[in-house]
Structures are given as C-alpha cells and as structure tokens.
Amino acid sequence: MESTSHPPPARSVTGTPKISRRLRLVLLTVATILIVSALTRLPGWSLQELRSFDYLSTLDDPAPPADSPIVVAIDEPSLAELNVQWPWPRDIHARLITALRAAGAKAIALDIIFAEPSAPERDAALAAALGPDVVLAGDESVIVTPQAEQLVRTTPLPLFSEAGAVTGMASITLGGDGIFRDLPRYDDALSRQLARVAGQPHELPPGDWMIQSYGAARSYPTVSYYQALDPENFLPKDFFRDRVVIVGLSLQNAPEIDHGGADAFATPYTVHTGRLVAGVEIQATLFDNITKGSAIRRAESPLVLIGITLSAILAAFTVWRSTRWQTAAVALAVTLALATISFLLIRHAYLFVSPLGPALAFVSVAVGQAAFDYADERRNRKQITRAFSQYLSPALVERLARDPSQLRLGGERRTLSILFCDVRGFTTIAETMKDDPEQLTNLINRLLTPLSEIVLGHGGTIDKYIGDCLMAFWNAPLDDDDHANHAVAAAIDMLARMETLNVELKREAAERGSAYHELRIGIGINTGDCVVGNMGSSQRFDYSVLGDSVNLASRLEGASKNYGVPLLIGEGTALLADRFVSLELDRITVKGRTVASPVFTARADIPDGMAAKHNRFITARYDGTLQAEDQLFDELAAALPGLSRYYEGVRAKLVDNGI
C-alpha cells in the first residue's frame, strides 16, 4: 500500500498546536464574501456605489455628441430682451416654433407645460404653429395622503394635442441622495417622444439603466431664446438645419446645489462642480442616451456577487504564503485596478459594476490576514523573548524576535560547541558556610553572574545551571559559523574574570574579618554533532542539547583537574578554534567512551617557539622517549606557567615509573 505523508500541524514557539494559517485564511475569505455581499444590500451602501458611479462615469469628461440637441435657453438675456413678464404670452412661443421650423429644425421639444388656458387668441396662435414635429412637456407626480398615494398626470391642453403636438412626460426621478441618474422607464417620456418625432432609434432592453452625463451646466450647444426668434440676424447660417431643438428654462449661471434653482437638478457632474444642471439640458442628455445607446446598465446582484467572490479569492491567493509591507501596496494597486476595470466597462460595455464591493472584499481579506499575521508575529516575539531571555543575550533575543525564521524548534541535528564550567572544591566551601546560607547564595550568584554575562557576551546560549555548574553551547538556536572560537574566547575570559573576582572576595573578607574562600573553576569544551531542541515534558521543557559530544564536554571539564589546567578542549574544538593556540596534553578514554580521544588546552598566545617545543614534548611522551630529567620540563614550565602543574604531574608519573 502506498503511503502519503502530511506536514505536521502548525505549532507555536512553545510547541502547542495552533490553528492552521491557511484554514483561517479560508474562513476569513468565506466570511468576507458573505459580509460584503450583505453590505451591498443596504441603502447606505447603494448610495456609496452610486457616488462611485458619478466619479467614474465623468472621469474622462465626455462631451456631448456632435449632432446632439441644441438648447434654446429661456435665460436672463432673453427675459431682458423681450421685456415681458414670465410666463410669456403663448404667441411668442408660436413665433419661436415657426422660426425654428423655417431654420430647418427637424424636431422641436418645449420643456414647458401648457396645462392651463391663457388668452384664447394667444392659445390659438400657439395651436396654429404646432404640428407633429413638436413635443410639448407633460408632468407626472405622486400625491401622498394619509389615505392613499395618487398618481397625477398633467398634460397640455387638448387644443394643442388636437393641433398635432405630441405629449412627452418631462418628469424625472431623483436618487436617494437627490442626484438624477436613472433613465425614465415610461414609454411616453419627453426624450422618447422626441426621438420618435426625430425618427431616431430609442429602444432599450429591460434593466436598470443610468444616464451617461455629458459635462456640467451649459455643456450642450446653447443659444438664448431671443436669438432663436431671429436666427438670421443672431446665429450662423443653417445653425438649426436638421437638428433637434429643445426649449426650456436655463439660467446663464448655473445655481449652486445648496441654493437650488428653477427646473435645475444635481447630476453626476455635480460632484465635481457643486452646481445644478438645467432640466432642459437633462432632457438633451436623455435624448442622447437613448438615441446613441450610451445609457449605462447597472449590474444585477449575481454579477456583483461574482465580482466580490473573485476579488476575495484573489486576495486569498495573494496572501496565501505570507503578508509583508508590500501587501498594502498590492491592495492599493488592486483597488485602482478594480476602479479602472469598472471605468472601462462603463465606457466600452455600457455596464456599471461597482468597484466598491470587490475592493472592500480584497482589502478585507488582505488586511485581515495581515492583521492576523501581525498578531501571530507579536505573539511569537513575546514567546521567543520569554523562552530565550534566560538563555541568550538581549541582542540575540531581539535578533530572534525580529526574524523567527532563524529559529527551528522541535529537535534538529547541528554541530555545536558545548561548554561545561564547574567550581572546584565548592562542596568544601558550602560545608564551611552551612550556617550562613544567605552568604553562600550570594557567593554563588557573585560567581555565576559574571560567568553568564561572559557566555552571553560571546553569543553563547546558556543551557542550564546545575548547582555551581554552568552549561552553555554555541551555534544554536542562531547560526554561528565561528562557534568554536567564540566558546574558547568565552572560557579564557571566564578564567580571567575569576582572578578579578578572587581579588574582590579577598578584599571583602579582610574588611569583614571573615574567612576567605578562593574560587577556582574548571572548564571543558567539545565540538561535535548534537541534537538540539525543546526537551522535557508537554508541561515543562527546556531548550537543550543531547548527544555524545555533550557527554565528552562534561568529561573534559571533570578531567581538567587531573591535569592541573583550568581548561580542556576536545579535538573538534582544537581544529576549529584557529584564533588560539591549541596544545595537546594527552589521549584519554573518558567514561562512556571506548575510543581514546586527544585532549587539548587553549591559550590566547604563547612565546615564540614554545608551541614547537611542546609538540616535541608530547611526541616524546607518546613515543616513550621522554625522561624525567629532560630540560623540556623546566623550559616549558618557565615559558608556560599556566601549565606548570601539568608538566609537574607528567614528570611525577615518570619518576614513579622509574623513567
């Protein structure tokens, strides 16, 4: 049977299982899709989407089509020129229709409601000028009472309809924020009726259609009413030839949105200008939308949901492995890309898919996962700091916390340099101070504190304290390519610090009049392969090392007192610690090992030529040619006083053996 392996579950620094990052990301993605999809159903969200439509649909400042309707504006100059109180006598409108028809206009719309009779002769004059090429405005409104809602239609006088004029509803519906965007759906809208009269296509398939705005107020070609009454004198030749004309109220200076205005409304362009657009220009915009096919269809819910889902999934793939500071830049870039896609759909597909939902979905997943990752990182930093602050120097702890990838917990094989340091004769010292445990505790702290600081200062990891013994190692949890040199340097500094500490203790004992206890230490260092990681039970554990190399380091520390030297190092350490002079002392078989191992001591430097003489000394000893009266004993003891006890011990053995 073929077996398959699966990666172990994610674990925290302390070794306890934690929820899979990818599972959490999947849950975050699903939750985001559901929440953002629900948000899109809220009225407040819909208004924000419409506001995004306002910006995107006017982003490139589209201009009216070349053959767009011409607006004949009932404006301030016309009121002043005609010098007649508004509403003007209807025979003036009759003159205008006649003049426009004579100038070649193919269709005329009056965005003016003639629902009430005026002077009979003036109404008759207007009726005489009307015909099937003229559209008159009507109005549709809803009257709300406590009892019911009543739809009221206001239409021109039957006299005018009988004269051949077409009625078109000029009513428009404003959005919840007071902005006009929606294309009127009733069939007899003024813009549709005008399109029919002009003989231009005007059908739209069912759907939620919004207008494409063409500029701010006065963007359409506009002339004053009084100029249209006499186009031969005021306007270029053939100005109205084969053009559609819409007549209506249009102030010279578009009113500001907060002041309102007569027959003026907010459009998508109002977000840029803050000004209203005259109703007559809105009718021209509607005409162009239905005849040029530029109306924009609003995407239905399923398409919006697809966009949100795809965006959330894209975000999940983006942060699938990790999040970094670039995640924010990616989220911004995707948001801009979604806005660009929405803009291109408006321009080329006449479809509005709001970028807000997909953008929020992407940002929510990306930023949400980044927040989770940041929280995990902070938690891991705290765990690392708490777990290793007792073992490592603050600088190394901070380095681990900044980059936890350097930490590989759970057990691994590595080449380490291990150091054991023990106090010589501490049992005797403790016995003499048994009646003063406080002073004994103070003494051991005075000893271990500086030794620990030296280990940490050289980049070592303190494994544990065993009574008066200190165990440390190098090259874990952080890589240290020069671990052997660092371990030996720490040992030499520890020995030097002991000399200073003994001077301090001797002076303090003299000041107190108490007994002075000299402190001496023995150190063993070995370099070799070990298993390092969290050792212990599921309730309590330590970051520690195991292996034969560890045992040998411990044996070397114990054997150092037999050779009369404070520092013994193994062969692996001697080979790698190239900054120091390693002097071989013996080949021994330590407890637990069957193979004789060469042991060395290390010194920062020795007098010239002494290393070669010592090597001759060792060779002669191994060859059995070394004699007790050999001058090398005295020369080496004088040149290397730190090894004098070792040389004396070797000579004593030769004498005992009669050599």
Side-chain angles (χ1 to χ4, degrees):
M1 178 182 294
E2 182 179 355
S3 63
T4 58
S5 61
H6 300 278
R11 305 183 75 84
S12 66
V13 171
T14 59
T16 57
K18 63 179 181 179
I19 185 171
S20 166
R21 179 183 182 277
R22 293 182 177 178
L23 174 59
R24 185 169 59 188
L25 178 55
V26 170
L27 296 176
L28 173 63
T29 302
V30 173
T32 297
I33 293 172
L34 296 176
I35 293 172
V36 175
S37 298
L39 283 176
T40 60
R41 302 299 184 93
L42 300 179
W45 180 269
S46 179
L47 290 179
Q48 295 305 314
E49 288 185 331
L50 292 174
R51 184 52 57 94
S52 71
F53 168 79
D54 294 343
Y55 282 103
L56 292 173
S57 65
T58 58
L59 186 63
D60 55 346
D61 196 22
D67 58 347
S68 61
I70 296 174
V71 173
V72 173
I74 301 172
D75 53 10
E76 294 90 346
S78 298
L79 293 170
E81 185 70 24
L82 295 180
N83 196 24
V84 178
Q85 184 177 0
W86 182 263
W88 291 334
R90 290 174 180 172
D91 57 341
I92 296 178
H93 299 308
R95 288 168 48 200
L96 175 68
I97 293 171
T98 301
L100 292 173
R101 190 179 287 131
K106 65 178 179 180
I108 304 167
L110 275 69
D111 189 12
I112 306 169
I113 298 177
F114 301 111
E116 300 294 334
S118 65
E121 66 278 8
R122 299 186 187 280
D123 288 346
L126 177 58
L130 296 174
D133 59 343
V134 178
V135 180
L136 298 181
D139 181 58
E140 184 176 273
S141 59
V142 177
I143 299 177
V144 180
T145 66
Q147 292 77 26
E149 293 184 358
Q150 183 177 5
L151 178 65
V152 177
R153 276 200 161 210
T154 304
T155 58
L157 292 172
L159 172 67
F160 301 142
S161 300
E162 293 170 359
V166 178
T167 299
M169 294 295 111
S171 305
I172 60 174
T173 302
L174 303 181
D177 55 355
I179 296 179
F180 170 67
R181 304 181 185 88
D182 295 329
L183 202 66
R185 293 305 304 169
Y186 35 83
D187 187 63
D188 59 345
L190 186 144
S191 54
R192 288 178 177 272
Q193 296 288 54
L194 183 59
R196 292 189 181 99
V197 170
Q200 295 187 357
H202 58 275
E203 297 300 329
L204 284 176
D208 186 5
W209 294 89
M210 297 186 290
I211 64 166
Q212 170 59 63
S213 294
Y214 292 109
R218 292 277 174 148
S219 294
Y220 274 84
T222 304
V223 297
S224 293
Y225 192 101
Y226 78 91
Q227 294 174 319
L229 280 173
D230 189 7
E232 292 184 359
N233 292 322
F234 290 104
L235 299 173
K237 184 179 180 181
D238 295 330
F239 184 75
F240 291 112
R241 179 69 59 187
D242 294 326
R243 299 294 293 271
V244 173
V245 179
I246 305 178
V247 183
L249 187 66
S250 177
L251 300 177
Q252 275 286 32
N253 297 312
E256 295 182 359
I257 189 171
D258 54 350
H259 292 105
D263 196 26
F265 307 92
T267 70
Y269 258 98
T270 304
V271 300
H272 301 293
T273 64
R275 295 186 175 276
L276 304 178
V277 177
V280 64
E281 289 192 73
I282 287 179
Q283 295 300 332
T285 302
L286 291 173
F287 178 87
D288 281 338
N289 271 252
I290 63 175
T291 58
K292 301 298 188 296
S294 58
I296 301 164
R297 187 170 186 172
R298 189 172 183 179
E300 297 179 353
S301 296
L303 185 57
V304 174
L305 179 59
I306 290 173
I308 292 171
T309 302
L310 292 178
S311 186
I313 293 174
L314 175 62
F317 276 109
T318 302
V319 298
W320 186 252
R321 294 186 179 276
S322 64
T323 55
R324 300 180 178 85
W325 67 265
Q326 294 93 335
T327 302
V330 172
L332 177 60
V334 170
T335 300
L336 294 176
L338 290 171
T340 301
I341 292 172
S342 181
F343 169 76
L344 294 176
L345 288 174
I346 289 174
R347 277 292 161 267
H348 301 290
Y350 304 105
L351 176 68
F352 172 60
V353 181
S354 173
L356 296 187
L360 179 61
F362 187 95
V363 171
S364 297
V365 173
V367 174
Q369 185 58 46
F372 283 134
D373 289 346
Y374 177 76
D376 288 343
E377 179 186 358
R378 293 284 298 178
R379 183 167 54 252
N380 285 338
R381 285 173 67 100
K382 289 182 180 179
Q383 290 177 338
I384 288 171
T385 301
R386 184 168 58 250
F388 288 94
S389 59
Q390 301 178 31
Y391 311 139
L392 301 173
S393 67
L396 292 181
V397 172
E398 178 61 24
R399 178 178 157 193
L400 260 183
R402 285 197 308 268
D403 185 11
S405 63
Q406 300 180 80
L407 182 63
R408 294 178 294 276
L409 296 181
E412 60 175 323
R413 178 169 291 278
R414 303 188 71 164
T415 300
L416 306 179
S417 291
I418 307 99
L419 178 149
F420 280 86
C421 173
D422 192 26
V423 179
R424 296 287 179 254
F426 189 76
T427 302
T428 302
I429 296 174
E431 181 66 22
T432 60
M433 301 177 68
K434 63 182 179 180
D435 295 330
D436 193 355
E438 183 177 350
Q439 185 178 354
L440 178 62
T441 302
N442 179 64
L443 179 63
I444 194 66
N445 289 338
R446 289 280 301 275
L447 168 68
L448 294 179
T449 296
L451 299 185
S452 300
E453 290 174 349
I454 291 171
V455 169
L456 297 178
H458 285 276
T461 300
I462 296 177
D463 185 301
K464 60 177 68 72
Y465 300 101
I466 311 170
D468 58 321
C469 177
L470 180 152
M471 175 184 172
F473 52 86
W474 279 257
N475 200 33
L478 295 176
D479 293 336
D480 183 355
D481 295 335
D482 204 18
H483 51 89
N485 278 312
H486 290 156
V488 173
I492 291 176
D493 286 351
M494 292 165 74
L495 293 171
R497 183 67 181 90
M498 289 303 300
E499 296 179 5
T500 305
L501 179 60
N502 278 315
V503 171
E504 296 172 359
L505 293 175
K506 186 175 183 179
R507 185 186 68 251
E508 293 171 4
E511 291 173 353
R512 293 194 305 266
S514 60
Y516 162 61
H517 302 283
E518 181 182 6
L519 296 178
R520 293 180 295 106
I521 60 174
I523 300 174
I525 300 175
N526 186 45
T527 300
D529 291 341
C530 309
V531 175
V532 59
N534 282 334
M535 311 289 180
S537 68
S538 59
Q539 290 79 25
R540 182 176 178 83
F541 56 86
D542 288 312
Y543 188 70
S544 185
V545 292
L546 295 174
D548 185 59
S549 297
V550 179
N551 298 332
L552 180 55
S554 176
R555 304 304 180 195
L556 290 175
E557 177 274 316
S560 64
K561 57 187 173 184
N562 299 329
Y563 290 91
V565 295
L567 172 62
L568 281 185
I569 65 176
E571 183 179 18
T573 306
L575 291 174
L576 295 176
D578 51 8
R579 299 183 195 171
F580 301 90
V581 179
S582 297
L583 301 176
E584 186 174 348
L585 302 183
D586 201 356
R587 293 174 182 170
I588 60 175
T589 302
V590 298
K591 184 179 180 181
R593 294 173 65 96
T594 58
V595 179
S597 304
V599 294
F600 302 76
T601 190
R603 299 177 62 90
D605 57 68
I606 61 175
D608 292 341
M610 288 298 105
K613 288 187 176 182
H614 178 84
N615 290 337
R616 291 203 307 270
F617 173 86
I618 288 296
T619 301
R621 182 184 177 191
Y622 291 160
D623 293 344
T625 59
L626 185 65
Q627 302 294 320
E629 63 273 11
D630 198 315
Q631 288 187 337
L632 281 175
F633 282 102
D634 297 329
E635 292 180 19
L636 291 171
L640 306 173
L643 296 179
S644 59
R645 292 179 58 192
Y646 164 73
Y647 294 123
E648 291 173 2
V650 174
R651 173 176 275 175
K653 287 183 179 180
L654 292 176
V655 172
D656 291 343
N657 294 330
I659 301 176

